[in-house]
Amino acid sequence: MLGRLGALLAARDIPYEKGEPMARRTTLRVGGPADYLVEARGALELAAALQAAKEAGEPALVIGNGSNLLVRDSGIRGLVIVIGQGMQAVTREGETLYAQAGATLARVAQIAQAEGLSGMEALSGIPGTVGGAVCMNAGAYGTETADVVVSAEVLDGEGRVSNCAAEVIAFGYRSSAVAAKGLAVTGVSIRLVPGVPEEIGAAMRAYAAKRREKQPLSLPSAGSFFKRPEGCFAGALIERAGLKGVSVGGARVSEKHAGFLVNTGGASAQDFLDLMELIQARVFSASGVRLEPEVRILG
């Protein structure tokens, strides 16, 4: 049916790549090929690609910046749809910013600062898109996506559009109903509060300095690899288990922050999976805590 998928995409004038390595599409820089990959240039094209996959009987996966993904070396079957550069517009209405799903959190934060709107400062350094942030309720330094999002426009697998209020999105810790139901975010309404641009900028620079000081930003990673266990921090548990700097192949526990697993060059997805299992076993043995991955493991 894969050949049929290509024909259906072509019939809808949707450009696609065959066998695109997902290592090019994830911040971990690992992952095998996608059977088909489309960069959606707009919500209508996204809906059309989803419909083509359904008609071909193939699975479809929608991703943003790939900053929270670990794709197996065998790759991804069916269709991967990347929210492309044509879906990055940000507009203002009162104290609300409407951002298309492909806009990065950094860009939204910069626009908010320029507009004198506060609330995005702590999220400004997360290397993801607003669509992805809604799916996983991304957060940093005490602020979560749930704190600023009032609603999101989503597509289901049939390509039908609906508008979900925050209570329907049902944000949880690094989770949402949007992700659980396999919905694709196309746009997000973000409610902020008035602020002084200079003060907002100073706060953003302070958060950026914290990141540079404590996080391994010079090497490919997926951010915090594990969810935060109740009452403690994953990085601290990993460090106490004596795993800081431990490597499997090209995957390593960062010496700078043990909660980050980094690609030192040439790592495979299996290296990260093996390192993840080693960490889980050693931390459980040392502390009785079972770490759960925060990254989505696909393929």
Side-chain angles (χ1 to χ4, degrees):
M1 301 297 285
L2 280 172
R4 184 161 185 245
L5 175 56
L8 289 168
L9 292 170
R12 290 165 167 82
D13 294 321
I14 301 175
Y16 62 85
E17 300 287 340
K18 290 182 68 174
E20 170 77 355
M22 291 303 295
R24 297 178 184 170
R25 303 287 180 166
T26 63
T27 58
L28 263 179
R29 298 292 180 256
V30 299
D35 288 334
Y36 285 80
L37 184 140
V38 164
E39 287 196 40
R41 295 167 292 185
L44 291 177
E45 187 165 90
L46 171 58
L50 288 169
Q51 290 168 341
K54 180 177 176 58
E55 191 174 333
E58 296 292 344
L61 170 72
V62 180
I63 69 170
N65 202 40
S67 58
N68 196 48
L69 304 180
L70 173 57
V71 178
R72 297 179 187 273
D73 297 314
S74 54
I76 298 179
R77 306 286 71 82
L79 176 64
V80 173
I81 306 172
V82 179
I83 302 295
Q85 294 184 358
M87 296 182 67
Q88 296 182 344
V90 181
T91 56
R92 176 179 180 173
E93 185 173 335
E95 294 174 5
T96 299
L97 291 182
Y98 175 79
Q100 289 186 302
T104 64
L105 290 167
R107 182 164 179 265
V108 174
Q110 289 165 358
I111 292 172
Q113 180 205 358
E115 295 286 336
L117 294 173
S118 176
M120 287 292 298
E121 293 89 329
L123 303 177
S124 61
I126 297 175
T129 60
V130 292
V134 168
C135 287
M136 69 165 293
N137 191 18
Y141 301 113
T143 299
E144 293 183 323
T145 303
D147 297 328
V148 295
V149 168
V150 291
S151 64
E153 290 179 0
V154 299
L155 285 172
D156 64 16
E158 304 283 345
R160 294 175 298 208
V161 181
S162 59
N163 195 38
C164 297
E167 55 267 27
V168 177
I169 297 172
F171 288 110
Y173 175 65
R174 301 298 176 262
S175 67
S176 72
V178 168
K181 295 177 181 178
L183 302 174
V185 178
T186 58
V188 183
S189 292
I190 300 167
R191 179 70 53 77
L192 303 171
V193 297
V196 179
E198 292 77 13
E199 294 176 0
I200 295 168
M204 288 168 60
R205 289 190 294 274
Y207 284 122
K210 283 185 182 181
R211 286 180 179 275
R212 288 192 299 271
E213 178 187 354
K214 297 183 178 181
Q215 296 180 10
L217 302 181
S218 63
L219 291 171
S221 80
S224 297
F225 197 91
F226 295 98
K227 293 180 180 178
R228 185 180 68 243
E230 188 173 348
C232 54
F233 292 96
L237 293 174
I238 294 167
E239 188 169 353
R240 284 183 212 142
L243 291 167
K244 213 171 190 182
V246 167
S247 297
V248 173
R252 177 183 296 167
V253 179
S254 170
E255 292 95 337
K256 198 168 190 179
H257 189 314
F260 284 63
L261 307 189
V262 297
N263 186 343
T264 60
S268 66
Q270 192 61 48
D271 289 341
F272 281 99
L273 292 169
D274 291 344
L275 182 56
M276 177 186 76
E277 292 178 2
L278 171 65
I279 292 166
Q280 288 173 319
R282 292 270 290 273
V283 167
F284 185 75
S285 177
S287 65
V289 176
R290 172 65 69 178
L291 293 179
E292 297 181 17
E294 183 174 306
V295 300
R296 291 176 65 196
I297 300 171
L298 302 173

